[in-house]
Amino acid sequence: MENNIVLEEELGKVSKKKPQADLFRKQVSELNFKLTSETERADKIAFENAKLMEKLEAISIEKDRIAVEREQLKEDLEELKCSQVGASSPEFSQLTEGEPDSGMLENIPPSVKARLIRLEKETNN
């Protein structure tokens, strides 16, 4: 009988604490869900960041390559200017007017000619 009374008292104590325990379980479950969501979000952001850093590196390399190419083209243009007979020669006037078929430019590829003419115009401006 005493044992039953003790068990009933313990059951009463457990019954009082059960709603609170259930509430704690629910909160733990919700927090675990939020943690999982935030972890997935952080992983996605880290992946996107890595991709963007790769793009940035590739663009930086391309920018440096273009800068070197531009400097080389400027040097080539300067050499062409210096190798001319005179600044008032017909070839020079054709170059500054933008005619790509001048005598000194006939062996240069069209893409380089266009760049040289563009650089010449930039230099004159």
Side-chain angles (χ1 to χ4, degrees), residues 19-52:
Q20 188 175 11
D22 290 340
L23 178 65
F24 287 154
R25 278 191 203 103
K26 183 178 178 183
Q27 288 175 345
V28 167
S29 175
E30 289 172 358
L31 290 173
N32 279 333
F33 178 76
K34 285 182 182 180
L35 176 64
T36 303
S37 298
E38 288 298 317
T39 302
E40 289 174 0
R41 184 173 163 261
D43 289 344
K44 286 179 185 178
I45 289 172
F47 179 73
E48 289 296 320
N49 187 36
K51 284 186 0 183
L52 290 173

PDB file of all heavy atoms in Angstrom, residues 19-52:
ATOM      1  N   PRO A  19       4.315  18.098 -19.495  1.00  0.00           N
ATOM      2  CA  PRO A  19       4.094  19.170 -20.484  1.00  0.00           C
ATOM      3  C   PRO A  19       5.346  20.028 -20.706  1.00  0.00           C
ATOM      4  O   PRO A  19       5.652  20.414 -21.837  1.00  0.00           O
ATOM      5  CB  PRO A  19       2.967  20.005 -19.890  1.00  0.00           C
ATOM      6  CG  PRO A  19       2.280  19.110 -18.919  1.00  0.00           C
ATOM      7  CD  PRO A  19       3.318  18.166 -18.422  1.00  0.00           C
ATOM      8  N   GLN A  20       6.066  20.277 -19.602  1.00  0.00           N
ATOM      9  CA  GLN A  20       7.277  21.070 -19.735  1.00  0.00           C
ATOM     10  C   GLN A  20       8.327  20.289 -20.544  1.00  0.00           C
ATOM     11  O   GLN A  20       9.008  20.849 -21.408  1.00  0.00           O
ATOM     12  CB  GLN A  20       7.829  21.432 -18.362  1.00  0.00           C
ATOM     13  CG  GLN A  20       8.972  22.425 -18.423  1.00  0.00           C
ATOM     14  CD  GLN A  20       9.424  22.860 -17.036  1.00  0.00           C
ATOM     15  OE1 GLN A  20       9.022  22.282 -16.024  1.00  0.00           O
ATOM     16  NE2 GLN A  20      10.249  23.887 -16.997  1.00  0.00           N
ATOM     17  N   ALA A  21       8.451  18.985 -20.310  1.00  0.00           N
ATOM     18  CA  ALA A  21       9.397  18.153 -21.055  1.00  0.00           C
ATOM     19  C   ALA A  21       9.005  18.106 -22.539  1.00  0.00           C
ATOM     20  O   ALA A  21       9.875  18.182 -23.425  1.00  0.00           O
ATOM     21  CB  ALA A  21       9.452  16.753 -20.474  1.00  0.00           C
ATOM     22  N   ASP A  22       7.727  17.993 -22.808  1.00  0.00           N
ATOM     23  CA  ASP A  22       7.257  18.000 -24.196  1.00  0.00           C
ATOM     24  C   ASP A  22       7.574  19.334 -24.877  1.00  0.00           C
ATOM     25  O   ASP A  22       7.977  19.366 -26.044  1.00  0.00           O
ATOM     26  CB  ASP A  22       5.751  17.722 -24.261  1.00  0.00           C
ATOM     27  CG  ASP A  22       5.404  16.277 -23.901  1.00  0.00           C
ATOM     28  OD1 ASP A  22       6.316  15.422 -23.969  1.00  0.00           O
ATOM     29  OD2 ASP A  22       4.225  16.031 -23.553  1.00  0.00           O
ATOM     30  N   LEU A  23       7.388  20.415 -24.150  1.00  0.00           N
ATOM     31  CA  LEU A  23       7.698  21.735 -24.675  1.00  0.00           C
ATOM     32  C   LEU A  23       9.187  21.844 -25.002  1.00  0.00           C
ATOM     33  O   LEU A  23       9.569  22.346 -26.064  1.00  0.00           O
ATOM     34  CB  LEU A  23       7.287  22.822 -23.666  1.00  0.00           C
ATOM     35  CG  LEU A  23       7.591  24.263 -24.073  1.00  0.00           C
ATOM     36  CD1 LEU A  23       6.782  24.663 -25.301  1.00  0.00           C
ATOM     37  CD2 LEU A  23       7.302  25.203 -22.900  1.00  0.00           C
ATOM     38  N   PHE A  24      10.018  21.328 -24.092  1.00  0.00           N
ATOM     39  CA  PHE A  24      11.461  21.357 -24.330  1.00  0.00           C
ATOM     40  C   PHE A  24      11.841  20.518 -25.550  1.00  0.00           C
ATOM     41  O   PHE A  24      12.681  20.908 -26.355  1.00  0.00           O
ATOM     42  CB  PHE A  24      12.228  20.864 -23.098  1.00  0.00           C
ATOM     43  CG  PHE A  24      12.231  21.835 -21.946  1.00  0.00           C
ATOM     44  CD1 PHE A  24      12.381  21.368 -20.645  1.00  0.00           C
ATOM     45  CD2 PHE A  24      12.097  23.203 -22.141  1.00  0.00           C
ATOM     46  CE1 PHE A  24      12.397  22.244 -19.567  1.00  0.00           C
ATOM     47  CE2 PHE A  24      12.104  24.089 -21.069  1.00  0.00           C
ATOM     48  CZ  PHE A  24      12.254  23.617 -19.781  1.00  0.00           C
ATOM     49  N   ARG A  25      11.223  19.360 -25.714  1.00  0.00           N
ATOM     50  CA  ARG A  25      11.486  18.509 -26.886  1.00  0.00           C
ATOM     51  C   ARG A  25      11.115  19.237 -28.176  1.00  0.00           C
ATOM     52  O   ARG A  25      11.834  19.179 -29.171  1.00  0.00           O
ATOM     53  CB  ARG A  25      10.695  17.207 -26.774  1.00  0.00           C
ATOM     54  CG  ARG A  25      11.342  16.181 -25.921  1.00  0.00           C
ATOM     55  CD  ARG A  25      10.639  14.812 -26.076  1.00  0.00           C
ATOM     56  NE  ARG A  25      10.910  14.043 -24.882  1.00  0.00           N
ATOM     57  CZ  ARG A  25      10.071  13.840 -23.871  1.00  0.00           C
ATOM     58  NH1 ARG A  25       8.845  14.319 -23.921  1.00  0.00           N
ATOM     59  NH2 ARG A  25      10.427  13.137 -22.819  1.00  0.00           N
ATOM     60  N   LYS A  26       9.966  19.898 -28.140  1.00  0.00           N
ATOM     61  CA  LYS A  26       9.517  20.641 -29.322  1.00  0.00           C
ATOM     62  C   LYS A  26      10.498  21.769 -29.646  1.00  0.00           C
ATOM     63  O   LYS A  26      10.856  21.987 -30.811  1.00  0.00           O
ATOM     64  CB  LYS A  26       8.120  21.210 -29.089  1.00  0.00           C
ATOM     65  CG  LYS A  26       7.541  21.922 -30.281  1.00  0.00           C
ATOM     66  CD  LYS A  26       6.135  22.420 -30.000  1.00  0.00           C
ATOM     67  CE  LYS A  26       5.588  23.167 -31.182  1.00  0.00           C
ATOM     68  NZ  LYS A  26       4.270  23.730 -30.943  1.00  0.00           N
ATOM     69  N   GLN A  27      10.961  22.486 -28.630  1.00  0.00           N
ATOM     70  CA  GLN A  27      11.913  23.570 -28.838  1.00  0.00           C
ATOM     71  C   GLN A  27      13.239  23.040 -29.395  1.00  0.00           C
ATOM     72  O   GLN A  27      13.826  23.642 -30.299  1.00  0.00           O
ATOM     73  CB  GLN A  27      12.152  24.336 -27.535  1.00  0.00           C
ATOM     74  CG  GLN A  27      10.992  25.197 -27.114  1.00  0.00           C
ATOM     75  CD  GLN A  27      11.217  25.856 -25.758  1.00  0.00           C
ATOM     76  OE1 GLN A  27      12.102  25.465 -25.010  1.00  0.00           O
ATOM     77  NE2 GLN A  27      10.391  26.849 -25.450  1.00  0.00           N
ATOM     78  N   VAL A  28      13.680  21.911 -28.848  1.00  0.00           N
ATOM     79  CA  VAL A  28      14.924  21.301 -29.339  1.00  0.00           C
ATOM     80  C   VAL A  28      14.763  20.910 -30.802  1.00  0.00           C
ATOM     81  O   VAL A  28      15.658  21.140 -31.635  1.00  0.00           O
ATOM     82  CB  VAL A  28      15.331  20.090 -28.468  1.00  0.00           C
ATOM     83  CG1 VAL A  28      16.415  19.261 -29.143  1.00  0.00           C
ATOM     84  CG2 VAL A  28      15.781  20.544 -27.096  1.00  0.00           C
ATOM     85  N   SER A  29      13.624  20.353 -31.145  1.00  0.00           N
ATOM     86  CA  SER A  29      13.357  19.956 -32.526  1.00  0.00           C
ATOM     87  C   SER A  29      13.372  21.175 -33.456  1.00  0.00           C
ATOM     88  O   SER A  29      13.979  21.149 -34.531  1.00  0.00           O
ATOM     89  CB  SER A  29      12.017  19.238 -32.605  1.00  0.00           C
ATOM     90  OG  SER A  29      11.691  18.945 -33.933  1.00  0.00           O
ATOM     91  N   GLU A  30      12.712  22.250 -33.040  1.00  0.00           N
ATOM     92  CA  GLU A  30      12.679  23.476 -33.847  1.00  0.00           C
ATOM     93  C   GLU A  30      14.086  24.073 -34.003  1.00  0.00           C
ATOM     94  O   GLU A  30      14.472  24.509 -35.091  1.00  0.00           O
ATOM     95  CB  GLU A  30      11.748  24.509 -33.216  1.00  0.00           C
ATOM     96  CG  GLU A  30      10.277  24.146 -33.320  1.00  0.00           C
ATOM     97  CD  GLU A  30       9.380  25.088 -32.527  1.00  0.00           C
ATOM     98  OE1 GLU A  30       9.896  26.005 -31.856  1.00  0.00           O
ATOM     99  OE2 GLU A  30       8.149  24.906 -32.578  1.00  0.00           O
ATOM    100  N   LEU A  31      14.846  24.080 -32.925  1.00  0.00           N
ATOM    101  CA  LEU A  31      16.197  24.624 -32.982  1.00  0.00           C
ATOM    102  C   LEU A  31      17.106  23.776 -33.875  1.00  0.00           C
ATOM    103  O   LEU A  31      17.952  24.315 -34.605  1.00  0.00           O
ATOM    104  CB  LEU A  31      16.787  24.763 -31.581  1.00  0.00           C
ATOM    105  CG  LEU A  31      16.152  25.847 -30.708  1.00  0.00           C
ATOM    106  CD1 LEU A  31      16.709  25.778 -29.290  1.00  0.00           C
ATOM    107  CD2 LEU A  31      16.380  27.228 -31.309  1.00  0.00           C
ATOM    108  N   ASN A  32      16.927  22.466 -33.827  1.00  0.00           N
ATOM    109  CA  ASN A  32      17.700  21.589 -34.721  1.00  0.00           C
ATOM    110  C   ASN A  32      17.357  21.867 -36.183  1.00  0.00           C
ATOM    111  O   ASN A  32      18.237  21.882 -37.043  1.00  0.00           O
ATOM    112  CB  ASN A  32      17.456  20.116 -34.395  1.00  0.00           C
ATOM    113  CG  ASN A  32      18.267  19.637 -33.225  1.00  0.00           C
ATOM    114  OD1 ASN A  32      19.343  20.168 -32.950  1.00  0.00           O
ATOM    115  ND2 ASN A  32      17.757  18.633 -32.514  1.00  0.00           N
ATOM    116  N   PHE A  33      16.070  22.093 -36.449  1.00  0.00           N
ATOM    117  CA  PHE A  33      15.649  22.417 -37.815  1.00  0.00           C
ATOM    118  C   PHE A  33      16.281  23.736 -38.276  1.00  0.00           C
ATOM    119  O   PHE A  33      16.793  23.847 -39.389  1.00  0.00           O
ATOM    120  CB  PHE A  33      14.123  22.485 -37.899  1.00  0.00           C
ATOM    121  CG  PHE A  33      13.627  22.862 -39.260  1.00  0.00           C
ATOM    122  CD1 PHE A  33      13.638  21.939 -40.295  1.00  0.00           C
ATOM    123  CD2 PHE A  33      13.152  24.146 -39.514  1.00  0.00           C
ATOM    124  CE1 PHE A  33      13.182  22.283 -41.561  1.00  0.00           C
ATOM    125  CE2 PHE A  33      12.700  24.501 -40.771  1.00  0.00           C
ATOM    126  CZ  PHE A  33      12.715  23.574 -41.800  1.00  0.00           C
ATOM    127  N   LYS A  34      16.253  24.749 -37.405  1.00  0.00           N
ATOM    128  CA  LYS A  34      16.851  26.043 -37.738  1.00  0.00           C
ATOM    129  C   LYS A  34      18.357  25.909 -37.960  1.00  0.00           C
ATOM    130  O   LYS A  34      18.915  26.504 -38.884  1.00  0.00           O
ATOM    131  CB  LYS A  34      16.583  27.065 -36.626  1.00  0.00           C
ATOM    132  CG  LYS A  34      15.186  27.598 -36.600  1.00  0.00           C
ATOM    133  CD  LYS A  34      15.025  28.639 -35.497  1.00  0.00           C
ATOM    134  CE  LYS A  34      13.599  29.167 -35.419  1.00  0.00           C
ATOM    135  NZ  LYS A  34      13.446  30.164 -34.350  1.00  0.00           N
ATOM    136  N   LEU A  35      18.996  25.119 -37.112  1.00  0.00           N
ATOM    137  CA  LEU A  35      20.432  24.902 -37.252  1.00  0.00           C
ATOM    138  C   LEU A  35      20.754  24.241 -38.589  1.00  0.00           C
ATOM    139  O   LEU A  35      21.680  24.664 -39.290  1.00  0.00           O
ATOM    140  CB  LEU A  35      20.954  24.035 -36.096  1.00  0.00           C
ATOM    141  CG  LEU A  35      22.434  23.653 -36.158  1.00  0.00           C
ATOM    142  CD1 LEU A  35      23.307  24.900 -36.064  1.00  0.00           C
ATOM    143  CD2 LEU A  35      22.765  22.678 -35.042  1.00  0.00           C
ATOM    144  N   THR A  36      19.985  23.250 -38.950  1.00  0.00           N
ATOM    145  CA  THR A  36      20.186  22.576 -40.231  1.00  0.00           C
ATOM    146  C   THR A  36      19.986  23.548 -41.394  1.00  0.00           C
ATOM    147  O   THR A  36      20.783  23.575 -42.339  1.00  0.00           O
ATOM    148  CB  THR A  36      19.220  21.381 -40.365  1.00  0.00           C
ATOM    149  OG1 THR A  36      19.421  20.496 -39.265  1.00  0.00           O
ATOM    150  CG2 THR A  36      19.432  20.633 -41.659  1.00  0.00           C
ATOM    151  N   SER A  37      18.939  24.351 -41.309  1.00  0.00           N
ATOM    152  CA  SER A  37      18.667  25.326 -42.368  1.00  0.00           C
ATOM    153  C   SER A  37      19.810  26.333 -42.503  1.00  0.00           C
ATOM    154  O   SER A  37      20.263  26.642 -43.609  1.00  0.00           O
ATOM    155  CB  SER A  37      17.364  26.070 -42.099  1.00  0.00           C
ATOM    156  OG  SER A  37      16.283  25.192 -42.087  1.00  0.00           O
ATOM    157  N   GLU A  38      20.265  26.847 -41.376  1.00  0.00           N
ATOM    158  CA  GLU A  38      21.351  27.835 -41.404  1.00  0.00           C
ATOM    159  C   GLU A  38      22.658  27.211 -41.884  1.00  0.00           C
ATOM    160  O   GLU A  38      23.436  27.848 -42.588  1.00  0.00           O
ATOM    161  CB  GLU A  38      21.538  28.470 -40.017  1.00  0.00           C
ATOM    162  CG  GLU A  38      20.427  29.410 -39.626  1.00  0.00           C
ATOM    163  CD  GLU A  38      20.285  30.608 -40.554  1.00  0.00           C
ATOM    164  OE1 GLU A  38      21.307  31.196 -40.935  1.00  0.00           O
ATOM    165  OE2 GLU A  38      19.140  30.947 -40.898  1.00  0.00           O
ATOM    166  N   THR A  39      22.893  25.961 -41.533  1.00  0.00           N
ATOM    167  CA  THR A  39      24.099  25.265 -41.989  1.00  0.00           C
ATOM    168  C   THR A  39      24.065  25.094 -43.502  1.00  0.00           C
ATOM    169  O   THR A  39      25.069  25.332 -44.184  1.00  0.00           O
ATOM    170  CB  THR A  39      24.226  23.890 -41.290  1.00  0.00           C
ATOM    171  OG1 THR A  39      24.248  24.086 -39.882  1.00  0.00           O
ATOM    172  CG2 THR A  39      25.481  23.170 -41.723  1.00  0.00           C
ATOM    173  N   GLU A  40      22.904  24.689 -44.026  1.00  0.00           N
ATOM    174  CA  GLU A  40      22.764  24.553 -45.477  1.00  0.00           C
ATOM    175  C   GLU A  40      22.958  25.899 -46.164  1.00  0.00           C
ATOM    176  O   GLU A  40      23.630  25.993 -47.196  1.00  0.00           O
ATOM    177  CB  GLU A  40      21.393  23.977 -45.825  1.00  0.00           C
ATOM    178  CG  GLU A  40      21.228  22.519 -45.470  1.00  0.00           C
ATOM    179  CD  GLU A  40      19.810  22.017 -45.697  1.00  0.00           C
ATOM    180  OE1 GLU A  40      18.939  22.804 -46.140  1.00  0.00           O
ATOM    181  OE2 GLU A  40      19.565  20.828 -45.424  1.00  0.00           O
ATOM    182  N   ARG A  41      22.394  26.931 -45.589  1.00  0.00           N
ATOM    183  CA  ARG A  41      22.529  28.285 -46.153  1.00  0.00           C
ATOM    184  C   ARG A  41      23.997  28.716 -46.140  1.00  0.00           C
ATOM    185  O   ARG A  41      24.502  29.258 -47.132  1.00  0.00           O
ATOM    186  CB  ARG A  41      21.677  29.257 -45.343  1.00  0.00           C
ATOM    187  CG  ARG A  41      21.644  30.653 -45.870  1.00  0.00           C
ATOM    188  CD  ARG A  41      20.628  31.499 -45.072  1.00  0.00           C
ATOM    189  NE  ARG A  41      20.880  32.890 -45.292  1.00  0.00           N
ATOM    190  CZ  ARG A  41      21.553  33.706 -44.491  1.00  0.00           C
ATOM    191  NH1 ARG A  41      22.034  33.245 -43.365  1.00  0.00           N
ATOM    192  NH2 ARG A  41      21.740  34.959 -44.794  1.00  0.00           N
ATOM    193  N   ALA A  42      24.682  28.457 -45.041  1.00  0.00           N
ATOM    194  CA  ALA A  42      26.096  28.813 -44.940  1.00  0.00           C
ATOM    195  C   ALA A  42      26.929  28.032 -45.952  1.00  0.00           C
ATOM    196  O   ALA A  42      27.856  28.586 -46.569  1.00  0.00           O
ATOM    197  CB  ALA A  42      26.603  28.559 -43.526  1.00  0.00           C
ATOM    198  N   ASP A  43      26.602  26.770 -46.153  1.00  0.00           N
ATOM    199  CA  ASP A  43      27.320  25.958 -47.144  1.00  0.00           C
ATOM    200  C   ASP A  43      27.111  26.504 -48.556  1.00  0.00           C
ATOM    201  O   ASP A  43      28.058  26.576 -49.348  1.00  0.00           O
ATOM    202  CB  ASP A  43      26.865  24.498 -47.082  1.00  0.00           C
ATOM    203  CG  ASP A  43      27.338  23.789 -45.818  1.00  0.00           C
ATOM    204  OD1 ASP A  43      28.251  24.315 -45.143  1.00  0.00           O
ATOM    205  OD2 ASP A  43      26.789  22.703 -45.511  1.00  0.00           O
ATOM    206  N   LYS A  44      25.870  26.885 -48.870  1.00  0.00           N
ATOM    207  CA  LYS A  44      25.580  27.460 -50.192  1.00  0.00           C
ATOM    208  C   LYS A  44      26.341  28.762 -50.390  1.00  0.00           C
ATOM    209  O   LYS A  44      26.912  29.007 -51.455  1.00  0.00           O
ATOM    210  CB  LYS A  44      24.078  27.710 -50.354  1.00  0.00           C
ATOM    211  CG  LYS A  44      23.263  26.461 -50.558  1.00  0.00           C
ATOM    212  CD  LYS A  44      21.783  26.786 -50.683  1.00  0.00           C
ATOM    213  CE  LYS A  44      20.936  25.535 -50.774  1.00  0.00           C
ATOM    214  NZ  LYS A  44      19.508  25.845 -50.838  1.00  0.00           N
ATOM    215  N   ILE A  45      26.363  29.592 -49.358  1.00  0.00           N
ATOM    216  CA  ILE A  45      27.068  30.878 -49.454  1.00  0.00           C
ATOM    217  C   ILE A  45      28.570  30.638 -49.618  1.00  0.00           C
ATOM    218  O   ILE A  45      29.228  31.317 -50.417  1.00  0.00           O
ATOM    219  CB  ILE A  45      26.762  31.752 -48.218  1.00  0.00           C
ATOM    220  CG1 ILE A  45      25.311  32.231 -48.287  1.00  0.00           C
ATOM    221  CG2 ILE A  45      27.716  32.926 -48.131  1.00  0.00           C
ATOM    222  CD1 ILE A  45      24.830  32.938 -47.034  1.00  0.00           C
ATOM    223  N   ALA A  46      29.115  29.676 -48.891  1.00  0.00           N
ATOM    224  CA  ALA A  46      30.539  29.359 -49.014  1.00  0.00           C
ATOM    225  C   ALA A  46      30.855  28.870 -50.424  1.00  0.00           C
ATOM    226  O   ALA A  46      31.882  29.245 -51.007  1.00  0.00           O
ATOM    227  CB  ALA A  46      30.941  28.312 -47.981  1.00  0.00           C
ATOM    228  N   PHE A  47      29.976  28.051 -50.990  1.00  0.00           N
ATOM    229  CA  PHE A  47      30.177  27.554 -52.351  1.00  0.00           C
ATOM    230  C   PHE A  47      30.129  28.702 -53.361  1.00  0.00           C
ATOM    231  O   PHE A  47      30.976  28.802 -54.244  1.00  0.00           O
ATOM    232  CB  PHE A  47      29.122  26.498 -52.676  1.00  0.00           C
ATOM    233  CG  PHE A  47      29.222  25.944 -54.058  1.00  0.00           C
ATOM    234  CD1 PHE A  47      30.236  25.074 -54.400  1.00  0.00           C
ATOM    235  CD2 PHE A  47      28.286  26.307 -55.026  1.00  0.00           C
ATOM    236  CE1 PHE A  47      30.334  24.573 -55.680  1.00  0.00           C
ATOM    237  CE2 PHE A  47      28.378  25.801 -56.306  1.00  0.00           C
ATOM    238  CZ  PHE A  47      29.406  24.929 -56.636  1.00  0.00           C
ATOM    239  N   GLU A  48      29.124  29.561 -53.232  1.00  0.00           N
ATOM    240  CA  GLU A  48      29.011  30.718 -54.124  1.00  0.00           C
ATOM    241  C   GLU A  48      30.225  31.625 -53.981  1.00  0.00           C
ATOM    242  O   GLU A  48      30.728  32.155 -54.975  1.00  0.00           O
ATOM    243  CB  GLU A  48      27.726  31.507 -53.831  1.00  0.00           C
ATOM    244  CG  GLU A  48      26.461  30.805 -54.265  1.00  0.00           C
ATOM    245  CD  GLU A  48      26.379  30.619 -55.768  1.00  0.00           C
ATOM    246  OE1 GLU A  48      26.756  31.541 -56.516  1.00  0.00           O
ATOM    247  OE2 GLU A  48      25.943  29.533 -56.194  1.00  0.00           O
ATOM    248  N   ASN A  49      30.683  31.813 -52.755  1.00  0.00           N
ATOM    249  CA  ASN A  49      31.858  32.642 -52.512  1.00  0.00           C
ATOM    250  C   ASN A  49      33.080  32.053 -53.217  1.00  0.00           C
ATOM    251  O   ASN A  49      33.859  32.780 -53.836  1.00  0.00           O
ATOM    252  CB  ASN A  49      32.124  32.773 -51.013  1.00  0.00           C
ATOM    253  CG  ASN A  49      33.211  33.757 -50.703  1.00  0.00           C
ATOM    254  OD1 ASN A  49      33.353  34.779 -51.373  1.00  0.00           O
ATOM    255  ND2 ASN A  49      33.997  33.457 -49.693  1.00  0.00           N
ATOM    256  N   ALA A  50      33.242  30.743 -53.133  1.00  0.00           N
ATOM    257  CA  ALA A  50      34.376  30.083 -53.790  1.00  0.00           C
ATOM    258  C   ALA A  50      34.295  30.273 -55.306  1.00  0.00           C
ATOM    259  O   ALA A  50      35.313  30.560 -55.958  1.00  0.00           O
ATOM    260  CB  ALA A  50      34.405  28.601 -53.439  1.00  0.00           C
ATOM    261  N   LYS A  51      33.093  30.123 -55.875  1.00  0.00           N
ATOM    262  CA  LYS A  51      32.928  30.319 -57.320  1.00  0.00           C
ATOM    263  C   LYS A  51      33.256  31.758 -57.711  1.00  0.00           C
ATOM    264  O   LYS A  51      33.923  32.002 -58.720  1.00  0.00           O
ATOM    265  CB  LYS A  51      31.500  29.978 -57.755  1.00  0.00           C
ATOM    266  CG  LYS A  51      31.239  28.504 -57.823  1.00  0.00           C
ATOM    267  CD  LYS A  51      29.888  28.084 -58.371  1.00  0.00           C
ATOM    268  CE  LYS A  51      28.919  29.089 -58.793  1.00  0.00           C
ATOM    269  NZ  LYS A  51      27.623  28.569 -59.232  1.00  0.00           N
ATOM    270  N   LEU A  52      32.788  32.716 -56.914  1.00  0.00           N
ATOM    271  CA  LEU A  52      33.046  34.121 -57.214  1.00  0.00           C
ATOM    272  C   LEU A  52      34.533  34.454 -57.077  1.00  0.00           C
ATOM    273  O   LEU A  52      35.057  35.256 -57.868  1.00  0.00           O
ATOM    274  CB  LEU A  52      32.199  35.021 -56.316  1.00  0.00           C
ATOM    275  CG  LEU A  52      30.700  35.008 -56.600  1.00  0.00           C
ATOM    276  CD1 LEU A  52      29.956  35.813 -55.544  1.00  0.00           C
ATOM    277  CD2 LEU A  52      30.404  35.544 -57.986  1.00  0.00           C
TER     278      LEU A  52
END
